[in-house]
Amino acid sequence: LKLQFLYFIGELLLEKMPKEAKAKTKKVSYWGMKSEPGAYSWDELLEEKETYWDGVRNYQARNMMKEMKKGDVVLFYHSVTEKRFVGVAEVTKEHYQDPTSDDARWVAVDIKPLKSLKTPVTLKEIKDEPKLSQIALVKQARLSVFPVDEKQFKIIMNMADTSL
């Protein structure tokens, strides 16, 4: 009963809170996004300063993109030839119709670069770190968009000798 009361009070406080303060209490989610560097690289994102992430044609990855919120953090991964995390980006626009498809099922999100990793983190290093054994990059390797939990994000950032 006490927990229910505390939850109720918390909800009331959030309801009365100004929009600006509510925005600051939003929990950030973390994601991984893969790109073949020959198709679209981290350096191209740095140069362009912002892009839309399109062309995802996997329902599970699409559903994750629909969950992304403005301000969420993305680990940018070079797949195929390099197989390593190379940078950190931020979601700047939530999902909308993928401009490369007439099919309403497919979505895009906008991202901008935040920071290059000081030391890129390779797939081998990820696999060699027991604390990352459950990361979707390894468990669901075919996904181009995948969730990363906060603990995994912090471990990878530490391995990269990088802070935001």
Side-chain angles (χ1 to χ4, degrees), residues 93-155:
K93 184 175 180 183
E94 295 176 18
H95 76 276
Y96 57 93
Q97 171 68 45
D98 184 334
T100 66
S101 174
D102 293 330
D103 189 333
R105 292 176 296 177
W106 305 117
V107 300
V109 297
D110 290 358
I111 63 170
K112 71 175 183 181
L114 292 178
K115 196 173 211 177
S116 295
L117 297 182
K118 185 176 178 183
T119 306
V121 180
T122 67
L123 179 59
K124 181 182 180 340
E125 291 170 314
I126 297 289
K127 287 180 174 180
D128 287 347
E129 173 51 65
K131 293 176 185 170
L132 295 174
S133 64
Q134 297 303 307
I135 193 168
L137 175 69
V138 174
K139 299 298 272 184
Q140 296 177 290
R142 296 192 49 82
L143 287 178
S144 60
V145 177
F146 53 92
V148 175
D149 69 34
E150 185 175 8
K151 188 183 280 186
Q152 293 167 341
F153 177 79
K154 288 179 178 178
I155 292 168

Side-chain angles (χ1 to χ4, degrees), residues 15-149:
E15 216 172 271
K16 302 290 183 203
M17 191 181 291
K19 280 185 181 179
E20 300 79 29
K22 281 184 189 175
K24 290 179 182 174
T25 63
K26 178 198 172 289
K27 186 172 176 0
V28 170
S29 293
Y30 300 91
W31 305 94
M33 289 181 151
K34 291 183 189 176
S35 182
E36 294 180 29
Y40 190 82
S41 71
W42 175 251
D43 288 339
E44 288 174 276
L45 180 58
L46 288 173
E47 189 177 308
E48 292 177 4
K49 298 189 180 14
E50 189 166 16
T51 194
Y52 57 89
W53 201 263
D54 65 338
V56 173
R57 299 296 182 263
N58 172 286
Y59 287 104
Q60 191 175 4
R62 185 262 336 249
N63 292 343
M64 287 180 218
M65 288 174 66
K66 284 185 167 185
E67 291 179 33
M68 291 179 174
K69 301 293 181 209
K70 186 175 180 180
D72 281 356
V73 177
V74 174
L75 284 167
F76 194 103
Y77 183 85
H78 277 173
S79 61
V80 184
T81 54
E82 294 182 18
K83 296 182 182 177
R84 60 187 186 162
F85 285 111
V86 293
V88 182
E90 178 181 358
V91 176
T92 57
K93 184 175 180 183
E94 295 176 18
H95 76 276
Y96 57 93
Q97 171 68 45
D98 184 334
T100 66
S101 174
D102 293 330
D103 189 333
R105 292 176 296 177
W106 305 117
V107 300
V109 297
D110 290 358
I111 63 170
K112 71 175 183 181
L114 292 178
K115 196 173 211 177
S116 295
L117 297 182
K118 185 176 178 183
T119 306
V121 180
T122 67
L123 179 59
K124 181 182 180 340
E125 291 170 314
I126 297 289
K127 287 180 174 180
D128 287 347
E129 173 51 65
K131 293 176 185 170
L132 295 174
S133 64
Q134 297 303 307
I135 193 168
L137 175 69
V138 174
K139 299 298 272 184
Q140 296 177 290
R142 296 192 49 82
L143 287 178
S144 60
V145 177
F146 53 92
V148 175
D149 69 34

